[in-house]
Amino acid sequence: MMETFQELEMYKNFDELAEDVIDLAKEILPDQLFYLSSITEAQQIVLKHSLNTSSIPVAEGMVLDLNDTLCSRMDFENKQPLVYEDVQGAPELKHIEDKLEAAHVRSYLGLPISFVNGDRFGTLCAVNDEKSQFDARSITLLQRIVRMFSYYLDLERFAYRDSLTDLYNRHFLTRFFDGNSKAGGSIFFLDLDGFKNVNDLYGHETGDLVLKEVAAKLQQFIEGQTDVLAARLGGDEFLICFAKPVSAEELSEWATRLLASLSQWEADYSLSASIGIAQYPAGGNQDLRELLRQADHALYQAKKSGKNCYSFY
């Protein structure tokens, strides 16, 4: 959820455009309560909603267990709308019947919102505390609005994401660090050992696949952690930023675990990684460029020590 809100905060005019989406949707189906949401693996977060004259409780910033929502049934792969003109009596909704009744939701229309690469963003939903009728023309118009909103999301995302690995880029890292450095933290500066040999022996296409797999390993490593960001700086250089105080002992344990992951490959690439670690205190005016210089120096020491290891600045 941190990533969702951190990224959306940097999107230009997101609030204004989200409100426009809601307003346009209300023009099509004025009797419905509309809300725009973001979806993670486990949660649904309400970002914007229309004026609520119904008995349905909804608020911006509301976080819901995804399994308890109708949006959990959304067909993101085929980008198909989900329609319930009357939720009562639907056998597939038996497990959330009590929750729908408590929320006074009687009808529902949901449209999936995805990025161009297929990743889920969230939903545009219309709900009512009474039965509704959703005609095909209205659904088609709402789908067009969602499609235009998706184009906007992709344009903004491209500004902050590495095009090959889909990790955050240096631009996003800088803004993330500037907004989250007061609490203190640390960075891992990673460089792959033997990556040039992969390109030379197997070709650059294989090299790109390796970089994508490294990115996947980094995402898996930080999964479930708060205030942690993975980025690609360029080439075979990556960075993990911990925007929170972490002890040297914990950093050592994490670096050891990460090195083990980055030295295990199905193909015989003879590939590993080295890590330079730099820490910074809370409350100071930290300079990211200086911190990167320190981490780079520590990385150089790790390389000198035989590679496939880490070093503190």
Side-chain angles (χ1 to χ4, degrees), residues 157-219:
R157 200 181 204 211
F158 288 151
Y160 299 114
R161 296 275 184 167
D162 175 63
S163 59
L164 176 65
T165 65
D166 203 40
L167 290 179
Y168 288 114
N169 59 20
R170 188 185 292 263
H171 183 43
F172 186 92
L173 169 67
T174 300
R175 298 188 65 173
F176 172 81
F177 183 83
D178 290 344
N180 295 275
S181 61
K182 298 300 182 184
S186 52
I187 62 172
F188 283 5
F189 195 156
L190 296 91
D191 181 87
L192 299 180
D193 306 323
F195 182 67
K196 184 178 182 301
N197 291 334
V198 172
N199 278 332
D200 291 344
L201 292 174
Y202 301 98
H204 289 277
E205 288 187 5
T206 298
D208 287 347
L209 292 175
V210 167
L211 293 175
K212 290 180 181 180
E213 190 168 347
V214 169
K217 288 173 182 280
L218 296 185
Q219 290 284 38

Side-chain angles (χ1 to χ4, degrees), residues 61-72:
M62 178 183 289
V63 179
L64 306 170
D65 186 324
L66 185 60
N67 291 327
D68 293 338
T69 70
L70 286 158
C71 292
S72 65

Side-chain angles (χ1 to χ4, degrees), residues 27-85:
E27 290 289 328
I28 297 169
L29 293 174
D31 296 332
Q32 301 297 315
L33 166 61
F34 279 92
Y35 62 89
L36 187 68
S37 76
S38 176
I39 287 178
T40 69
E41 289 299 321
Q43 295 177 323
Q44 180 176 12
I45 306 101
V46 176
L47 302 175
K48 293 286 179 183
H49 65 80
S50 60
L51 180 65
N52 187 5
T53 58
S54 73
S55 60
I56 299 174
V58 65
E60 292 182 12
M62 178 183 289
V63 179
L64 306 170
D65 186 324
L66 185 60
N67 291 327
D68 293 338
T69 70
L70 286 158
C71 292
S72 65
R73 299 184 55 81
M74 195 73 67
D75 185 356
F76 281 91
E77 184 175 351
N78 296 306
K79 301 181 180 179
Q80 292 300 305
L82 181 63
V83 181
Y84 286 99
E85 295 185 336

Side-chain angles (χ1 to χ4, degrees), residues 54-164:
S54 73
S55 60
I56 299 174
V58 65
E60 292 182 12
M62 178 183 289
V63 179
L64 306 170
D65 186 324
L66 185 60
N67 291 327
D68 293 338
T69 70
L70 286 158
C71 292
S72 65
R73 299 184 55 81
M74 195 73 67
D75 185 356
F76 281 91
E77 184 175 351
N78 296 306
K79 301 181 180 179
Q80 292 300 305
L82 181 63
V83 181
Y84 286 99
E85 295 185 336
D86 186 356
V87 301
Q88 290 186 1
E92 68 273 20
L93 302 180
K94 191 71 176 176
H95 65 294
I96 58 171
E97 185 178 61
D98 293 344
K99 299 221 169 24
L100 293 175
E101 186 175 350
H104 308 290
V105 173
R106 186 68 186 272
S107 65
Y108 169 91
L109 166 64
L111 298 111
I113 306 173
S114 301
F115 293 102
V116 70
N117 66 357
D119 287 351
R120 300 184 303 176
F121 172 82
T123 57
L124 174 66
C125 298
V127 291
N128 205 317
D129 53 11
E130 299 178 354
K131 291 188 291 184
S132 302
Q133 289 186 332
F134 301 111
D135 61 282
R137 181 177 181 276
S138 295
I139 294 175
T140 298
L141 290 173
L142 290 171
Q143 286 177 306
R144 293 177 67 181
I145 292 173
V146 163
R147 187 161 59 248
M148 288 187 288
F149 184 64
S150 297
Y151 294 155
Y152 158 78
L153 292 173
D154 279 318
L155 287 173
E156 290 290 353
R157 200 181 204 211
F158 288 151
Y160 299 114
R161 296 275 184 167
D162 175 63
S163 59
L164 176 65

Side-chain angles (χ1 to χ4, degrees), residues 6 173-187 227 241-245 279-289 291:
Q6 286 287 348
L173 169 67
T174 300
R175 298 188 65 173
F176 172 81
F177 183 83
D178 290 344
N180 295 275
S181 61
K182 298 300 182 184
S186 52
I187 62 172
D227 301 318
C241 180
F242 302 90
K244 57 184 178 182
Q279 298 173 274
Y280 58 96
N285 293 319
Q286 303 300 325
D287 182 87
L288 180 59
R289 288 174 297 180
L291 195 63

